[in-house]
Amino acid sequence: MHRALQIVGAVTAALRANASLAAEVYSHRVRSLDELEQELPAVIVRMGADTPNTDSGQSSLSFIDSMQEILVEGLTRGDSEQEIAETLLELRTQIHIALQADVTLGLSFVTDTRYAGADAPEISDAADRYSGRLVTRWVVRYRMNFTDPN
C-alpha cells in the first residue's frame, strides 16, 4: 500500500481515537453523508497534493522526502448559524489536538505533521436546517524509498 494511503489511514485512526471528537470519521467519503442516518456531525479525511521537499524530487540516491497534504473536513447541521459556527470550531479544535498528539502518526516513515491552515467556515441555510463545512489542511512530511513508494 502506498505510503500516502497509509498516512490517510493513520490520520483517520488518530481522529477516531480522540474521544472528545463528537463526530463520525470517514476517509475518502464526500457526497453520501446522511443526517437521517445520524452521520452528522462528521469528519472526512482526504489526500491533497504530494510534493517532494526538493526541486529535483530526490533527497538522496536512496530515498525521497515528501510532503503529503491532508485535507480534514468537518461537516455539521444545526438550528442556527451560531450553533453551526460553534460546532465547526470545536471540530477544528479536536482535529488539531488529535493530529498534534503524535506528529509521526505512529508511522516509522513519517517525520512530522504540521498545521497548514483552515478555510473560512461555510454556513448554508438552503435546506430546512442550517449546515456547515470547515476544511483544515495538514502537511505530513514523510520519507519513501527511491524505487518503491510503499
Side-chain angles (χ1 to χ4, degrees):
M1 175 187 321
H2 194 286
R3 289 185 175 189
L5 195 54
Q6 292 178 58
I7 290 168
V8 169
V11 168
T12 301
L15 294 170
R16 286 180 178 154
N18 181 352
S20 296
L21 180 65
E24 294 294 324
V25 180
Y26 305 96
S27 58
H28 308 293
R29 186 171 175 190
V30 180
R31 298 282 182 223
S32 60
L33 293 173
D34 186 351
E35 180 184 13
L36 297 176
E37 296 295 325
Q38 298 179 344
E39 292 181 313
L40 294 178
V43 172
I44 299 170
V45 180
R46 294 181 287 128
M47 281 187 287
D50 193 336
T51 309
N53 287 359
T54 62
D55 290 337
S56 68
Q58 187 172 347
S59 303
S60 80
L61 294 176
S62 60
F63 62 83
I64 299 169
D65 285 326
S66 198
M67 297 178 292
Q68 175 66 57
E69 181 183 45
I70 299 293
L71 305 170
V72 182
E73 179 177 358
L75 300 164
T76 192
R77 287 197 181 259
D79 295 323
S80 70
E81 291 179 58
Q82 182 67 31
E83 179 185 350
I84 295 299
E86 289 172 3
T87 301
L88 289 174
L89 290 175
E90 179 59 21
L91 289 174
R92 179 178 167 181
T93 297
Q94 294 305 321
I95 290 165
H96 192 106
I97 290 168
L99 296 184
Q100 293 299 275
D102 175 4
V103 296
T104 69
L105 301 170
L107 298 171
S108 62
F109 54 86
V110 170
T111 59
D112 194 21
T113 300
R114 294 186 184 183
Y115 174 71
D119 296 342
E122 297 175 20
I123 299 175
S124 171
D125 65 351
D128 57 337
R129 295 179 73 198
Y130 289 93
S131 62
R133 174 179 181 262
L134 176 68
V135 177
T136 61
R137 294 178 302 283
W138 297 84
V139 174
V140 178
R141 295 177 184 270
Y142 74 101
R143 178 167 284 174
M144 67 180 125
N145 185 290
F146 180 69
T147 60
D148 184 2
N150 296 319

